Amino acid sequence: MQSVEHSDEQPLYRHAFGSVEFDEARGELRVGGLVVDLEQRPLQVLVCLLHHADEVVPREELFDTVWAGRPTVDNVLANAVAKLRKALGVAEHDRIVNLPRVGYRLCGPVERTVSGRRLHSRLDLVLGQAVPGREHFRLREQLGPSRGNEVWLARHDKTGELRVYKFSADGERLAALKREATIHRLLHESLGDRDDFVRVIDWNFAVPPFYLECEYGGLDLARWAEREPGLASLGQAQRLRLFLQIADAIAAAHEVGVLHKDIKPANVLMQSRGDGWQPRLADFGSSRLLDPGRLAQLGITALGLTLTQAAADASATPLYLAPELLAGHAPTVQSDVYGLGLMLYQLLVGDLRRPLAPGWEADIGDELLREDIAAATDGSPARRLGSVGELCERLRGREARRIERQRLREAEARAQRAEHRLERSRARRPWVVAALLVLAAGLGMSLWQFHRAGVARDEAQRQAAITTATNRFLNEDLLGASIGGDSPAWYEKNPRLSEILDAAALRLDQRFGKAPLLAAGLHQTLGRAYRSTGDYGKAAAQLQTAADLLQRQLGGGDERALLAEYELAVMQAHMSQFKQAAARLDRADAAAGMRRQSVSEISLRSHLAHGDLAFQQMQVQPALDNYRAAQTMQQILHPDDAVMSAHLLLGIAGCELRLNHAATAEQLARQVLAGPPYTPHRVGIGVLALARSRLGDALRAQGHYAEAISVTRQAAADYETAQGASGQGTISALSSLSYLYSLNGNAAKSLSTQRDVYQRALARWGSHNQYTLVEQLNLGSQEHEVGALKEALKDMQWAESGLLLLSGEHSPTVQAARVARANVLSDLGRNADALALVEKIDPKAYQASTADPGRAEVLKALRAQILLRLGRREEALPQLRQALRDMQAAGVAPEEIAPYRKSLLDSVAAAR
């Protein structure tokens, strides 16, 4: 912004009317509290009108004052007034009244106070003066203030070379100049000479007036855009190229740890270069270093830099500040991304003053550009693009993205047509439908990963090859002639889905042995299909093969290879291979690097995998934190992915249950069961079975046993339909049903059901698997309930020792096993052993083992009951009374409280 010249004798004022304020000393116009950039001539017109408020200022006086009596064109005054009215905004522009052929008047009232500061006289700088220490450069024009300093344009007497000088009179404002000099040295030492940065030539920080000497970079982007031919002459492709030049400069600064913090059109200068224009980034006076230690590494003195810097610089333009900066948070790479995203929008619409107001999407016709702008300017930094480089990559790959999106839409349309053709055979051969839906879901993910990873033309061609070959694999090798023709002979035997998958696995390597990337995608497809049937062993084998192929072909840092590693880690977590899963996640996270810190597919899958691993290990809070982070990214990256959305909702519901938030868990489960988008067609029977299982657990935790039994029975039936009798979901639902029978008073049915559950788990996983051990612990609990104490103790001891080896001393499942064993020991009369065991139990970890509320209170009651049985009545009775009150307040089931209340009453009666 340029300031207005005044004589040394003339005082400078701060004028205010309506929502407008103009400070002559600073040359600063504010409307509605926000700084407005305006050219010098319209500002000088405003000063004249303000000094004669409510008076008519003749045209001749305006010409003499503003243009020194030499206007360049006839309508120059009308143009200046039009720009001034636009700057004042809708609410105030009518205050300037035109009297045709006479002049202009600014309608008052105007409040005026002496500002007490004179921008030019403070440094005694005047037009035509030689720059101190640079006698051949003479001051030509005062450009305006910058963070309280004076900015002047100077010209060499002989060569005509232009340079810009930023002057400062005191130490407070000098810090900004020193910071800019330091940042320039860092950029130059790290990046070399670059045309897209304005070069700092020299500086004088020794004697006043202090200054920074810079090369002249041209008009700023806002002024250049308004001049002919300017921005209006550029088409969309040219505007995108211009933006990418600016963004590349910002990205380069970020790579060496420099945040600009004041990205706006005024800090981008436009220099003529041949038959085009070179944008140049300027004004690093408010920048921030992400790694101040880098200065020492390069031997650069840290001038003007402090250990702490304000989140939002006071001189920065609020329009371009990210919301988190206005809220007082520290600046990040993503706050610079926000400013760039707004500038991208403004360049595309051709208006560098337009804010990103609600409904802005209607201004951008290209859906991909709308997505890019939205991703760059998201109000939440967690959902915003993680880097400027990511934004540039999206923009440069726009045409390839468009081709790929069209291919995917066409593939979806073909899938829908195939589904309609399958309708005719649904009643006669239902497994065909099931196989196609299962494999199509996995195929969609495989294709998406290949789509996601590349943006070049050869990548689009590669995806087309994948689509064609995979369609042949599904329709010829897997389903054969089942659509529209006679089935192969073996299909007439109505094979199971697992047999179909086995056959497909054999044929896969025969067809794609020489195409490893295609084979990798299809191995992932089969792995997901096996997983949906509950055959985790075969699923893990297929996913392992896919991960190995991708590692060999693409390297460990490739996005597809990393996504395969995360998927395999999830599978290992569900198979209780916790150490292997954790090690795989650590390796994948290390290879992902900073990509985990942004909103990206890698970050989403990493959080999802960490959530699943933590949930399987009953580490509730870490699981919940990771699920919520993944859910935020899923809503940005895959808002229409109903399967992933349901998985995350139900994972969060499981965590809420273990945190004793049963009502919240119930609400989440019912959300998935409420219908679209979570229909059987879109998410599958297994997902809805899990939702019913979660709902049953939530109802149980709230004491609604009859409804919980009905819901859980349906969940078990759905699981058996989807996975078979030995599926993990089937076994888990039957285990929950056994516990519900116990709570509802049917101990005999509970025990028979749990024995069946344990035998199924033993056959499926073997005796040393976590799932089997938990079901053996549950069996011991049911044996305890019917009085089979020795059998109960044996099962519990075996389960506890196995869980201890798998999960460690502080595992929630180990705590649950110890509580159960302590109860049995006490009932066997071994109360000293029971008390010693209780003292080792962590109440918080015990609560994490179950959705049932009040585990800490139950533990206190158990301890008090054991003390009673040891004869320590005076110590035990107060503790037991308090524990009973606490259990009731915590919502512990009445039937669980009853035995402890009976112990209290029996003890009191015996004392009488």
Side-chain angles (χ1 to χ4, degrees):
M1 186 190 306
Q2 298 180 0
S3 65
V4 183
E5 297 177 20
H6 299 276
S7 68
D8 289 345
E9 295 76 17
Q10 182 181 10
L12 301 178
Y13 296 95
R14 181 180 293 108
H15 306 268
F17 57 95
S19 61
V20 177
E21 181 180 291
F22 177 70
D23 189 334
E24 292 179 350
R26 301 179 63 185
E28 183 179 83
L29 174 65
R30 288 179 176 267
V31 178
L34 301 179
V35 175
V36 176
D37 288 336
L38 190 60
E39 296 174 20
Q40 183 179 12
R41 303 301 187 190
L43 273 180
Q44 291 178 338
V45 171
L46 176 62
V47 171
C48 289
L49 296 176
L50 287 169
H51 278 270
H52 302 279
D54 275 330
E55 300 175 13
V56 176
V57 181
R59 294 167 54 87
E60 294 74 18
E61 182 175 341
L62 288 170
F63 282 132
D64 289 342
T65 303
V66 178
W67 286 274
R70 297 187 298 274
T72 55
V73 293
D74 292 338
N75 64 343
V76 66
L77 177 57
N79 288 341
V81 171
K83 292 177 179 179
L84 176 58
R85 283 173 168 161
K86 182 178 179 181
L88 296 181
V90 176
E92 307 295 345
H93 77 276
D94 287 337
R95 285 179 178 267
I96 299 178
V97 178
N98 178 20
L99 281 73
R101 294 186 298 277
V102 177
Y104 291 84
R105 180 178 67 195
L106 189 146
C107 299
V110 175
E111 182 179 315
R112 187 172 70 171
T113 57
V114 177
S115 66
R117 295 176 57 195
R118 290 185 166 197
L119 186 62
H120 68 285
S121 62
R122 178 164 47 86
L123 298 177
D124 294 325
L125 300 172
V126 295
L127 289 174
Q129 173 186 342
V131 176
R134 301 286 190 272
E135 59 273 13
H136 291 297
F137 280 93
R138 296 192 174 276
L139 301 179
R140 176 179 174 180
E141 180 184 0
Q142 188 172 6
L143 299 178
S146 174
R147 274 171 287 280
N149 299 313
E150 294 183 25
V151 183
W152 286 78
L153 180 66
R155 185 178 184 275
H156 195 280
D157 287 337
K158 296 179 180 179
T159 66
E161 179 187 355
L162 297 175
R163 289 186 182 176
V164 172
Y165 291 86
K166 298 181 180 181
F167 293 96
S168 175
D170 55 48
E172 179 183 352
R173 296 172 178 83
L174 179 59
L177 299 186
K178 289 183 175 181
R179 184 183 305 118
E180 187 164 1
T182 302
I183 295 297
H184 176 264
R185 286 196 62 193
L186 172 62
L187 293 171
H188 183 265
E189 292 291 334
S190 303
L191 302 172
D193 289 322
R194 292 178 61 106
D195 290 338
D196 47 9
F197 291 114
V198 172
R199 187 164 56 97
V200 174
I201 299 172
D202 202 355
W203 53 80
N204 164 40
F205 299 152
V207 295
F210 312 112
Y211 61 78
L212 199 66
E213 183 179 22
C214 309
E215 64 179 335
Y216 177 64
L219 288 172
D220 69 62
L221 181 60
R223 297 181 187 179
W224 173 86
E226 293 177 350
R227 294 199 174 186
E228 295 294 338
L231 187 59
S233 67
L234 302 184
Q236 184 183 86
Q238 293 170 301
R239 295 184 189 191
L240 283 173
R241 282 197 294 271
L242 172 62
F243 174 81
L244 284 168
Q245 289 178 282
I246 299 168
D248 285 340
I250 297 290
H254 285 178
E255 287 175 3
V256 296
V258 175
L259 297 181
H260 191 281
K261 285 181 55 187
D262 194 14
I263 295 173
K264 59 184 177 183
N267 286 334
V268 176
L269 306 182
M270 298 296 291
Q271 189 168 63
S272 177
R273 185 65 54 87
D275 58 351
W277 294 90
Q278 172 66 57
R280 312 188 71 188
L281 195 60
D283 200 350
F284 281 87
S286 63
S287 299
R288 179 184 182 187
L289 288 181
L290 294 175
D291 180 15
R294 186 172 176 81
L295 294 176
Q297 295 171 5
L298 296 172
I300 299 173
T301 303
L303 300 176
L305 294 172
T306 57
L307 292 178
T308 59
Q309 295 178 6
D313 191 287
S315 64
T317 305
L319 178 63
Y320 297 90
L321 290 179
E324 65 269 17
L325 298 186
L326 296 174
H329 296 293
T332 64
V333 167
Q334 287 168 298
S335 51
D336 273 4
V337 171
Y338 181 92
L340 273 175
L342 176 54
M343 280 183 58
L344 172 60
Y345 166 72
Q346 292 175 329
L347 283 169
L348 290 172
V349 300
D351 184 351
L352 295 180
R353 300 180 186 274
R354 188 179 302 185
L356 199 70
W360 65 266
E361 295 88 350
D363 301 329
I364 306 296
D366 187 313
E367 66 170 332
L368 295 177
L369 289 176
R370 285 198 300 271
E371 293 173 9
D372 295 338
I373 294 169
T377 59
D378 195 292
S380 168
R383 298 191 298 266
R384 198 176 305 147
L385 291 179
S387 69
V388 177
E390 187 176 355
L391 175 59
C392 293
E393 182 181 354
R394 290 170 67 119
L395 293 173
R396 288 192 168 99
R398 190 165 54 95
E399 290 310 312
R401 288 162 58 202
R402 196 186 315 282
I403 292 170
E404 291 166 352
R405 180 166 295 188
Q406 182 59 36
R407 291 186 186 279
L408 289 175
R409 286 173 175 165
E410 291 171 357
E412 289 174 0
R414 287 195 299 271
Q416 289 177 356
R417 289 194 295 271
E419 183 180 342
H420 291 316
R421 291 160 61 193
L422 278 169
E423 289 294 335
R424 296 192 301 271
S425 60
R426 183 180 296 272
R428 182 165 57 91
R429 286 172 295 185
W431 59 264
V432 175
V433 179
L436 184 61
L437 291 178
V438 167
L439 285 163
L443 169 63
M445 178 57 69
S446 297
L447 285 177
W448 183 87
Q449 288 183 10
F450 280 93
H451 148 72
R452 167 79 182 173
V455 295
R457 180 175 298 176
D458 61 337
E459 186 73 9
Q461 293 171 345
R462 185 159 63 90
Q463 185 193 330
I466 294 169
T467 304
T468 301
T470 308
N471 282 338
R472 290 181 63 194
F473 171 71
L474 286 174
N475 289 303
E476 297 174 14
D477 292 344
L478 179 64
L479 299 180
S482 62
I483 302 176
D486 295 329
S487 301
W490 76 286
Y491 280 167
E492 298 301 331
K493 301 176 182 178
N494 195 24
R496 293 178 301 169
L497 181 55
S498 60
E499 294 174 322
I500 300 171
L501 297 177
D502 291 343
L506 291 174
R507 292 169 180 162
L508 190 158
D509 289 327
Q510 295 172 12
R511 182 181 287 276
F512 298 108
K514 296 182 180 180
L517 292 180
L518 301 183
L522 291 168
H523 277 296
Q524 287 178 310
T525 297
L526 289 175
R528 293 167 192 139
Y530 277 123
R531 183 180 62 202
S532 73
T533 68
D535 194 335
Y536 288 179
K538 290 181 178 178
Q542 292 293 328
L543 295 176
Q544 180 73 66
T545 301
D548 291 344
L549 286 169
L550 292 170
Q551 286 275 350
R552 286 197 298 269
Q553 295 298 315
L554 303 174
D558 183 85
E559 180 172 355
R560 284 164 289 179
L562 287 172
L563 296 178
E565 291 293 312
Y566 287 129
E567 186 171 12
L568 180 55
V570 169
M571 197 72 264
Q572 291 174 327
H574 282 278
M575 296 173 69
S576 301
Q577 297 174 2
F578 300 136
K579 291 182 180 179
Q580 297 95 315
R584 189 172 298 278
L585 285 180
D586 289 342
R587 290 194 300 271
D589 287 345
M594 292 300 295
R595 287 175 287 180
R596 289 191 67 245
Q597 309 303 318
S598 63
V599 178
S600 64
E601 189 65 24
I602 284 178
S603 183
L604 166 60
R605 300 292 170 170
S606 174
H607 282 294
L608 186 58
H610 280 283
D612 281 353
L613 175 59
F615 187 81
Q616 293 300 320
Q617 293 178 294
M618 297 190 180
Q619 298 171 359
V620 182
Q621 194 58 53
L624 183 59
D625 293 342
N626 278 286
Y627 280 146
R628 283 176 172 162
Q631 185 184 47
T632 298
M633 283 181 271
Q634 175 263 321
Q635 291 169 349
I636 298 168
L637 299 173
H638 308 298
D640 297 326
D641 190 331
V643 174
M644 186 184 297
S645 173
H647 176 83
L648 289 166
L649 283 171
L650 296 175
I652 292 170
C655 293
E656 295 287 5
L657 272 169
R658 290 175 180 173
L659 291 172
N660 199 19
H661 304 153
T664 301
E666 178 185 355
Q667 181 181 12
L668 293 170
R670 290 192 187 278
Q671 181 179 340
V672 176
L673 292 168
Y678 310 110
T679 61
H681 172 72
R682 290 195 64 182
V683 302
I685 297 174
V687 171
L688 298 180
L690 176 59
R692 288 191 174 90
S693 184
R694 287 278 188 272
L695 177 58
D697 291 342
L699 292 170
R700 183 194 74 213
Q702 297 174 83
H704 307 316
Y705 301 139
E707 186 179 359
I709 288 172
S710 174
V711 169
T712 307
R713 277 178 181 158
Q714 185 60 53
D718 289 345
Y719 270 129
E720 190 152 356
T721 299
Q723 300 180 353
S726 61
Q728 178 180 336
T730 307
I731 295 172
S732 177
L734 288 172
S735 179
S736 296
L737 194 58
S738 169
Y739 185 35
L740 282 166
Y741 288 143
S742 172
L743 292 175
N744 209 37
N746 194 340
K749 191 166 187 177
S750 173
L751 179 58
S752 65
T753 303
Q754 189 58 42
R755 282 175 174 160
D756 177 42
V757 167
Y758 176 64
Q759 290 303 318
R760 294 190 195 207
L762 196 61
R764 177 180 173 82
W765 293 300
S767 60
H768 298 287
N769 182 276
Q770 174 177 270
Y771 293 111
T772 306
L773 292 168
V774 168
E775 297 307 342
Q776 187 173 17
L777 178 62
N778 292 335
L779 175 59
S781 295
Q782 299 310 318
E783 289 168 337
H784 178 204
E785 187 172 352
V786 298
L789 300 182
K790 291 183 180 180
E791 293 87 342
L793 185 61
K794 180 180 178 181
D795 281 326
M796 289 177 179
Q797 285 174 327
W798 177 272
E800 182 184 339
S801 61
L803 291 168
L804 189 61
L805 287 173
L806 279 176
S807 306
E809 177 73 24
H810 303 291
S811 162
T813 54
V814 171
Q815 312 309 307
R818 286 174 174 168
V819 170
R821 187 159 66 89
N823 270 295
V824 175
L825 287 171
S826 181
D827 286 351
L828 285 169
R830 296 168 55 182
N831 288 295
D833 292 339
L835 183 61
L837 192 57
V838 166
E839 301 292 2
K840 295 168 63 176
I841 296 169
D842 178 1
K844 289 185 178 178
Y846 176 36
Q847 180 62 70
S849 71
T850 179
D852 295 329
R855 294 304 94 188
E857 289 73 20
V858 170
L859 192 60
K860 291 176 184 177
L862 174 59
R863 184 180 184 278
Q865 184 183 63
I866 294 171
L867 289 174
L868 270 179
R869 293 176 177 178
L870 285 169
R872 295 159 60 177
R873 294 182 68 259
E874 291 185 3
E875 180 183 358
L877 287 175
Q879 293 182 18
L880 187 53
R881 288 190 179 98
Q882 184 61 48
L884 288 168
R885 288 192 291 269
D886 292 345
M887 281 197 292
Q888 189 169 3
V892 176
E895 54 274 12
E896 193 174 5
I897 297 175
Y900 298 107
R901 178 172 285 114
K902 184 176 185 301
S903 293
L904 176 64
L905 295 175
D906 289 346
S907 179
V908 171
R912 291 175 182 172

